[in-house]
Amino acid sequence: MSRTHELDVPADQAVRVRRIDEADWDGIVELEARAYTRLGLSEGRDALRSRTLASPDTCFALDLGPRLAGYLLALPYPEERYPDLHSPEGRPEAAPRTSRNLHLHDIVVAEDLRQRGLARHLVDALTATARAHGYERISLVAVGGSDRYWARHGYTADEAAGLPAGYGPTAVYMSRAVPVGPAPRDGEVG
């Protein structure tokens, strides 16, 4: 996971957060496999795409100049619940749109671009979107020891949720209230 500090990227490389489009999938699948295969948590294209189809307004691509540098997938899920890594989401029209909880399912920044503050752009876009759509909480399952990172950013472990099945032996279900702040500006997420 990325730490928050001054963005350390070349000045001629613009950072842009935008909606995921069809041309992004080869890159997203590659980024996801590099991040999660060693943990035994890689989901594959069909499952990843199904999560985006379930909630396209809460899933983002991160560009650094012309390069796909990362992505974030989030979707409405009831509190203390999370996607099954081994199954795609149901039909998009069956998604739990009444949930007041937005689940940050996946966030990845390319390995060679980590530790530069890029993940913060994705998290900020998610937070602004959650606020604009009236979500009250954001949840996630921290894997591979990333619970310490998320705790520094206001997420707390929810012991009642138990050990998230299928996410590995160190998985921790965490959540936080959507921070209060200004509404996103028009065009903030392209």
Side-chain angles (χ1 to χ4, degrees), residues 168-183:
T170 63
V172 178
Y173 181 89
M174 305 178 82
S175 67
R176 71 169 292 171
V178 173
V180 176

Side-chain angles (χ1 to χ4, degrees), residues 53-54 90-97:
L53 291 172
R91 295 184 326 270
E93 61 273 11
R97 298 192 192 287

